[in-house]
Amino acid sequence: MNEIDPARRFSAEAVRKFDGPADGNTPGGMNDVARQVASQYRRDTMSPIMVSGVLRMVEFGLLLLSGLGVYFHYVGFFNYLAWQYPLSIAASSFLAVVLLDVTDCYQIVALMRPIANFGRVLLVWAGTFALMALTAFVMKMSEDYSRLLFGTWFVIGFVLLFGLRLVMSKLIRRWARDGRMERRAVIVGGGKAAEILIRSVEKQPYNDIRICGIFDDRGDRRSPPIVAGYPKLGTISELIEFARIARIDMLIVSLPLTAESRVLQLLKKLWVLPVDIRLSAHSNALQFRPRAYSYIGSVPMLDIFDKPINDWDSVAKRAFDIVFSLIGIVVFSPVMLATAIAIKLDSKGPVLFHQKRHGFNNEIIEVYKFRSMYTDKADPTAKQTVTKNDPRVTRVGRFIRKTSIDELPQFFNSLLGSLSLVGPRPHAIAAQSHNLLYNEVVDGYFARHKVKPGVTGWAQINGWRGEMDTNEKIRMRTEYDLYYIENWSLLFDLRILFLTPVRLLNTENAY
């Protein structure tokens, strides 16, 4: 961790800023101190889960390659390859990684203390060879194995394992110190309960939690401006903006379960954020079964919401997007080329239309489309929705909108990462229904932005596409989008992707 947390660095200033309710406020609604603290956390961090996951793959590769290297050294690369040796080496390498995982050797605490875990790693590696020897004995293959070969691999493999862990311990400490590998948390609710929670979290050895500040709706009498050295940065409404600027991983609600109505009131506001939400249980008299808790060190937490599509799921989804976007670009390139020529011949202006829309975590992204309107009548803000026989739409535009060909350039958005292939469709930032912004129509509308928006989505293939001319249509689209987020899987994405061309044949609502 950094020697001085950014949140604590602004403590004294925070006291001055909160002396008066209007002092230090910026037009965006968040006070200057909170904005400065949020700016310290704009950079993405490395997830501990991802780090340990990559280490598993690296160690498996090292063990496999070192085993094969020893084998080829003794036998010769071009000599007869006995199948049982490479197979045994691969199986043993995999078994070693599994046993290291089972014995918690991939936990960040263990990786930061390689000397303390020397015996455990040695025991796992020796146990792997013992199981391999037992298997060979049972299968009556033990006489076929070279003791010298496997003895050499045992020594080299362990040196590689332990040497890598020595290197990783230094890297992890450096990443933690530089703020590159940490879980960023905000405490929701102040006062004595928050202070006890912060002290409990901070005294945990090798803790990867960085507390970024405190947010509370209560005044300074009930919730002091500084708690355990951390400033109260604002209200719960300001927390939503803070979490969108900073790369926050977790919100910890420091309120007793007995304050049920207040907890529910907070969660109703906070669930739209793409973060883990935990309810601190360290001071609750009501006890649950141990399985009901997750832990930060030894501090128990009740899991309320989890960030959707996180860690390895996000890697899998990104790989899915890249592969199928490239396929889509190749397959539809003749259609896109013909469309570009038709647009150019039909009306003056550029072939592509760029529009600002809401992306992941409410960030503003630029989405590509084939231009379907006359240039002088285009509406980048989308305040006025396109209706049937809209005079702003060109002849070519009517056809490409009805067939959704105008959306094909968004394969490039997906390839570059601003969109996903499948997800809630991105809406224009000023999109309205009856002079009301969509978020004013639907309670919790911004929860759609907990994941990247998509080129196609669950709502679209269920008929909720095209003109959103009633409040009910906005609500239903949002309901389907939230169902997708809560039930996401790669198979679900594949299902939506392959159903999209079929469902697009229904052009009733596409103008």
Side-chain angles (χ1 to χ4, degrees):
M1 296 295 180
N2 290 330
E3 291 182 3
I4 302 177
D5 284 334
R8 283 181 164 170
R9 189 182 305 143
F10 296 107
S11 294
E13 187 180 354
V15 175
R16 294 196 296 273
K17 293 292 184 183
F18 280 94
D19 280 345
D23 291 344
N25 285 347
T26 58
M30 192 166 59
N31 66 78
D32 290 335
V33 179
R35 196 172 296 279
Q36 288 180 64
V37 173
S39 68
Q40 305 293 316
Y41 299 112
R42 284 182 179 272
R43 188 173 65 172
D44 283 321
T45 60
M46 294 182 291
S47 163
I49 293 174
M50 296 291 289
V51 170
S52 62
V54 170
L55 181 61
R56 288 173 174 86
M57 292 187 287
V58 171
E59 288 191 337
F60 171 75
L62 279 177
L63 294 175
L64 177 62
L65 291 175
S66 63
L68 292 177
V70 171
Y71 172 73
F72 289 129
H73 173 74
Y74 279 103
V75 177
F77 191 80
F78 296 103
N79 289 345
Y80 173 71
L81 186 67
W83 64 268
Q84 69 266 27
Y85 276 99
L87 186 61
S88 298
I89 289 168
S92 299
S93 300
F94 180 76
L95 178 61
V97 171
V98 170
L99 292 177
L100 286 168
D101 191 17
V102 169
T103 54
D104 293 332
C105 289
Y106 289 111
Q107 296 293 322
I108 294 299
V109 173
L111 294 176
M112 293 177 75
R113 304 174 62 201
I115 303 298
N117 288 275
F118 177 92
R120 195 192 310 181
V121 174
L122 179 59
L123 184 63
V124 165
W125 188 228
T128 301
F129 275 74
L131 287 172
M132 181 174 60
L134 179 62
T135 303
F137 175 77
V138 171
M139 297 180 68
K140 298 182 179 180
M141 298 170 56
S142 56
E143 294 180 358
D144 298 331
Y145 285 92
S146 166
R147 290 164 179 76
L148 178 61
L149 189 156
F150 281 100
T152 304
W153 184 39
F154 179 86
V155 174
I156 292 175
F158 182 74
V159 169
L160 289 173
L161 275 178
F162 190 70
L164 178 60
R165 285 166 179 267
L166 287 174
V167 173
M168 283 302 300
S169 70
K170 293 184 180 297
L171 286 176
I172 290 172
R173 288 173 188 274
R174 182 191 301 170
W175 292 336
R177 186 174 61 249
D178 296 343
R180 294 176 61 191
M181 193 183 81
E182 60 189 5
R183 286 184 294 166
R184 295 169 179 169
V186 165
I187 307 297
V188 181
K192 192 65 178 176
E195 182 178 359
I196 295 171
L197 171 62
I198 291 171
R199 301 295 187 203
S200 299
V201 170
E202 288 190 332
K203 74 180 182 181
Q204 302 300 320
Y206 306 103
N207 181 20
D208 67 335
I209 293 290
R210 183 187 293 273
I211 297 171
C212 302
I214 299 168
F215 286 81
D216 198 343
D217 282 335
R218 295 175 297 178
D220 288 354
R221 284 187 180 181
R222 299 179 61 193
S223 178
I226 293 182
V227 177
Y230 292 91
K232 186 173 68 175
L233 297 176
T235 63
I236 304 305
S237 297
E238 291 168 326
L239 166 58
I240 294 175
E241 184 180 354
F242 179 90
R244 295 202 189 284
I245 296 174
R247 294 291 191 262
I248 299 299
D249 300 299
M250 183 185 303
L251 304 181
I252 303 177
V253 180
S254 176
L255 293 173
L257 289 174
T258 50
E260 180 182 353
S261 60
R262 187 155 176 251
V263 170
L264 292 175
Q265 196 175 33
L266 289 175
L267 295 178
K268 187 178 179 181
K269 293 180 179 179
L270 299 175
W271 76 282
V272 300
L273 294 172
V275 297
D276 296 330
I277 300 181
R278 303 289 182 256
L279 180 61
S280 171
H282 74 288
S283 60
N284 285 314
L286 184 61
Q287 296 296 315
F288 295 90
R289 292 183 177 181
R291 289 183 184 177
Y293 298 112
S294 61
Y295 290 86
I296 297 175
S298 60
V299 180
M301 301 281 171
L302 288 172
D303 297 351
I304 306 300
F305 293 109
D306 288 325
K307 182 179 179 180
I309 315 181
N310 200 16
D311 295 324
W312 288 106
D313 285 343
S314 65
V315 174
K317 188 165 175 63
R318 182 70 188 123
F320 178 96
D321 289 341
I322 291 172
V323 170
F324 283 95
S325 294
L326 288 172
I327 292 172
I329 289 169
V330 171
V331 170
F332 290 104
S333 55
V335 177
M336 288 193 277
L337 180 60
T339 302
I341 295 171
I343 291 171
K344 209 65 180 168
L345 293 175
D346 184 52
S347 61
K348 294 180 180 180
V351 169
L352 292 180
F353 176 68
H354 297 214
Q355 190 175 54
K356 302 289 185 184
R357 298 193 178 189
H358 278 126
F360 171 70
N361 201 21
N362 263 32
E363 293 175 352
I364 305 302
I365 60 173
E366 194 170 66
V367 171
Y368 311 138
K369 296 182 69 174
F370 281 123
R371 181 175 59 84
S372 59
M373 292 185 178
Y374 293 103
T375 304
D376 58 341
K377 297 178 181 178
D379 179 19
T381 63
K383 284 186 177 179
Q384 182 182 347
T385 58
V386 178
T387 57
K388 193 171 185 178
N389 300 319
D390 197 312
R392 298 174 298 165
V393 180
T394 65
R395 289 175 300 171
V396 170
R398 286 193 180 89
F399 175 75
I400 63 176
R401 290 180 71 91
K402 207 164 190 65
T403 56
S404 293
I405 291 174
D406 64 325
E407 309 282 359
L408 289 180
Q410 289 169 28
F411 277 119
F412 292 97
N413 279 113
S414 176
L415 183 63
L416 296 173
S418 57
L419 290 183
S420 182
L421 265 184
V422 182
R425 285 290 295 147
H427 294 155
I429 55 178
Q432 296 182 354
S433 172
H434 298 96
N435 296 320
L436 289 175
L437 295 172
Y438 287 171
N439 64 292
E440 296 173 322
V441 174
V442 182
D443 190 26
Y445 167 81
F446 285 127
R448 300 174 72 251
H449 304 152
K450 292 166 77 170
V451 300
K452 278 186 187 179
V455 178
T456 183
W458 183 237
Q460 280 60 46
I461 69 167
N462 281 281
W464 302 104
R465 61 185 285 252
E467 184 183 7
M468 293 287 105
D469 54 350
T470 67
N471 292 349
E472 181 62 20
K473 286 183 178 180
I474 303 299
R475 291 191 185 96
M476 289 305 297
R477 179 180 283 191
T478 303
E479 185 176 320
Y480 274 85
D481 289 338
L482 296 181
Y483 176 87
Y484 165 80
I485 292 171
E486 291 169 5
N487 295 276
W488 174 86
S489 70
L490 282 180
L491 287 176
F492 196 12
D493 273 3
L494 275 172
R495 177 186 174 191
I496 294 170
L497 196 61
F498 287 120
L499 280 175
T500 295
V502 177
R503 299 298 170 85
L504 288 181
L505 295 175
N506 178 10
T507 60
E508 182 182 352
N509 295 323
Y511 309 133

